[in-house]
Amino acid sequence: MLHKKYTILVADDDPNGRLLMERAFKASLVKAELRLVACGEEAIAYLKGEGVFADRSNYQYPSFLLTDLKMFPGDGFSILAFLQSTPDSAIIPTIVLSSSNDSDDIKRAYMLGASAYIVKPQEPNQLVELLKAIAAFWLICEVPEVDEIGRRVSTSNQGKLGERFS
């Protein structure tokens, strides 16, 4: 289901990294609401709709999530583990955008359900092009419908190919 309003949640503990992401998204002309959080714990609170993120009219459940890995408190792996532990919310496309190209980090991220793992480019113009490509892909993808708090909406599989997976 294509969203009418797109929200992209970015989790990155580096203030310069968040500023660079914000500028790159503006330069990419992606039509989406950008929400920035500074750590894994904030991202999880956002996903849960807790605390300052409780008002879903201001903090819509994200269309997709970009996360750094190395953050404190709560790293990118903790975000992925949270999503994996909440199957009704785990359908959000989640892209790890990290400076780490360590094969163990990559493997662990995919094992925890990452939709993609991308090593951050060094040049700002490369980041703009990367964000354009990420948004162009994920914002046209069909994803299961979610309610206002991000839980998967129940559907009827009766008589459909997916019925055996109910």
Side-chain angles (χ1 to χ4, degrees), residues 3-144:
H3 299 276
K4 291 181 181 155
K5 180 179 176 187
Y6 301 105
T7 300
I8 301 168
L9 179 61
V10 176
D12 193 328
D13 65 336
D14 178 19
N16 293 325
R18 288 192 304 275
L19 181 62
L20 187 59
M21 291 289 279
E22 191 171 26
R23 287 181 178 167
F25 266 110
K26 282 181 184 172
S28 74
L29 303 176
V30 169
K31 302 278 189 252
E33 177 97 20
L34 186 63
R35 294 294 181 182
L36 302 162
V37 294
C39 65
E41 285 184 3
E42 276 188 50
I44 291 169
Y46 187 107
L47 293 167
K48 288 180 173 181
E50 292 181 343
V52 297
F53 307 113
D55 180 3
R56 284 297 186 204
S57 63
N58 286 326
Y59 298 100
Q60 179 183 354
Y61 196 79
S63 308
F64 69 87
L65 166 66
L66 286 167
T67 183
D68 191 12
L69 276 186
K70 295 175 170 80
M71 300 180 285
F72 183 81
D75 57 20
F77 292 129
S78 65
I79 297 169
L80 292 168
F82 164 74
L83 287 169
Q84 191 175 59
S85 73
T86 54
D88 280 343
S89 299
I91 57 177
I92 181 175
T94 305
I95 299 101
V96 174
L97 188 57
S98 176
S99 57
S100 171
N101 64 359
D102 181 79
S103 59
D104 289 329
D105 287 346
I106 296 166
K107 178 178 71 174
R108 181 89 175 131
Y110 279 109
M111 289 175 68
L112 287 170
S115 304
Y117 190 107
I118 302 169
V119 176
K120 287 180 186 176
Q122 297 300 312
E123 298 297 321
N125 63 332
Q126 291 174 333
L127 181 61
V128 170
E129 292 306 312
L130 175 64
L131 294 177
K132 278 184 190 177
I134 290 170
F137 178 76
W138 285 110
L139 295 179
I140 63 165
C141 285
E142 297 290 339
V143 295

Side-chain angles (χ1 to χ4, degrees), residues 47 56 61 88-91 145-152:
L47 293 167
R56 284 297 186 204
Y61 196 79
D88 280 343
S89 299
I91 57 177
E145 188 176 358
V146 295
D147 63 17
E148 65 279 350
I149 61 170
R151 289 180 306 207
R152 181 181 45 186

